[in-house]
């Protein structure tokens, strides 16, 4: 194939589709598997919190703030 | 003190055992006293790939349980000086692995050998965790194919979480080996390229192994491709083994059909 043909081929080959799909799938996977045994930890945190306060749900997020990795646990309380 | 390499993958069937066998032979050829251990308890395979299946008397669980000594269980390869093999148990399952016993075994191996390769079971169940527990480096094997790459990302993410070394605050080396690269498919845009895989996984490249029909032939006969003459995959493994021994070997273009065709023509002249 000529270089001219290659120019148009690039965006639509199945390899490129695969890459785009993988980037999205992996980004989602990484978000969901921040910590091994996440579900267990989540359940345990909820158990502890429930001893002291009325809660609706918790949300766990991991963030990178320059030097440190930050684990954010948002507790949504019952009104 | 020896260096421990865990050979891992997310998905099964990507060439982990083939990679373990060939790299172990390759580093032994380079003069390193090498042992390759089959950690796939219950699914012994490495013995067949190495052509040593008839020489297995004691296996890894015999050693860990104290029923045999390490030197009784180690099989010395007759073709390759410096190469030793420790078989997986075929009758037990992965539940027999225990942290303390694994640590003791690996400590023993590190005292006797320069290079220790652990052939991990696929995925993230049971034996996988034990394989990376005391590894200094992990070699992630991947095929240029979506499910293999996605699953690889998962195991790479788990390495630091499960590794003893990472918990102690040290860095675990993570290296990628891409196997079964098909230059014709890459040329046609039907196979994910090396650059794209590295982009997605963001991990250091250790080597690229082209698709090679001789790999099947090699497993049929129990003579790994690195020992075959003019095998593109064998040559790729030989380059990777040299890199592991600290030799600076440039990456070869195994993705372009032209280069491969040219090489085949040259090697064809000497046949």
């Amino acid at each position: 194939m000529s270089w001219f043909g290659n120019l148009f081929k690039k965006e639509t080959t199945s390899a490129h589709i695969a890459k785009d799909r993988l980037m999205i799938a992996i980004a989602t996977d990484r978000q969901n598997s921040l910590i091994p045994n996440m579900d267990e930890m989540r359940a345990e945190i909820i158990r502890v919190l429930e001893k002291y306060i009325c809660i609706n749900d918790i949300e766990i997020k991991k963030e990178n703030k320059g030097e440190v990795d930050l684990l954010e646990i948002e507790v949504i309380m019952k009104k | 003190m020896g260096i421990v390499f865990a050979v891992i993958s997310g998905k099964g069937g990507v060439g982990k055992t083939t990679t373990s066998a060939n790299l172990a032979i390759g580093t032994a050829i380079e003069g390193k006293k090498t042992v390759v251990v089959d950690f796939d308890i219950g699914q012994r395979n490495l013995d067949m790939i190495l052509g040593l299946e008839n020489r297995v008397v004691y296996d890894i669980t015999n050693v860990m349980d104290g029923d045999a000594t390490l030197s009784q269980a180690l099989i010395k390869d007759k073709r390759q000086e410096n190469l030793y093999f420790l078989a997986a148990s075929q009758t037990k399952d992965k539940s027999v692995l225990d942290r303390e016993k694994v640590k003791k075994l690996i400590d023993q191996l590190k005292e006797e050998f320069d290079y220790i390769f652990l052939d991990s079971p696929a995925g993230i169940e049971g034996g996988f965790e034990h394989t990376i527990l005391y590894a200094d480096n992990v070699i992630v094997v991947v095929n240029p194919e979506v499910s293999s790459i996605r699953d690889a990302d998962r195991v790479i993410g788990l390495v630091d979480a499960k590794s003893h070394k990472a918990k102690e605050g040290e860095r675990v080396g993570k290296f990628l080996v891409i196997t079964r690269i098909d230059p014709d498919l890459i040329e046609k845009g039907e196979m994910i390229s090396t650059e794209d895989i590295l982009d997605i996984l963001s991990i250091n490249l250790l080597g690229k192994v082209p698709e090679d029909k001789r790999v099947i032939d090699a497993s049929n006969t129990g003579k790994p491709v690195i020992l075959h003459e003019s095998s593109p995959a064998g040559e790729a493994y030989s380059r990777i083994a040299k890199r592991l021994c600290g030799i600076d070997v440039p990456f070869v273009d195994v993705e372009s059909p032209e280069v491969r065709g040219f090489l085949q023509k040259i090697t064809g002249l000497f046949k």
Side-chain angles (χ1 to χ4, degrees), chain B residues 88-198:
Chain B
S89 166
Q90 182 70 317
T91 50
K92 307 242 168 62
D93 64 51
K94 289 170 183 76
S95 63
V96 301
L97 287 169
D98 156 296
R99 270 169 181 259
E100 283 309 307
K101 288 177 181 174
V102 171
K103 181 173 186 338
K104 198 180 151 206
L105 174 71
I106 290 178
D107 283 344
Q108 257 182 301
L109 292 171
K110 279 172 97 162
E111 258 171 45
E112 260 189 64
F113 293 94
D114 300 322
Y115 280 36
I116 299 125
F117 289 93
L118 311 178
D119 183 20
S120 164
I124 53 169
E125 306 303 322
F128 165 76
E129 212 171 295
H130 291 93
T131 324
I132 56 173
L133 201 51
Y134 299 107
D136 300 306
N137 301 284
V138 296
I139 296 174
V140 184
V141 183
V142 75
N143 291 164
E145 173 268 326
V146 285
S147 48
S148 167
I149 296 169
R150 186 186 190 176
D151 293 351
D153 187 71
R154 178 101 195 272
V155 293
I156 293 168
L158 279 172
V159 169
D160 284 334
K162 303 279 182 185
S163 145
H164 179 75
K165 209 174 169 180
K167 279 179 191 152
E168 299 278 291
E170 287 177 69
R171 211 181 60 86
V172 183
K174 285 173 256 182
F175 305 102
L176 191 71
V177 170
I178 307 169
T179 59
R180 309 201 62 173
I181 296 172
D182 187 324
D184 295 327
L185 289 183
I186 288 188
E187 160 85 359
K188 280 191 263 172
E190 289 168 10
M191 182 174 267
I192 307 172
S193 69
T194 303
E195 294 73 43
D196 286 349
I197 296 174
L198 294 175

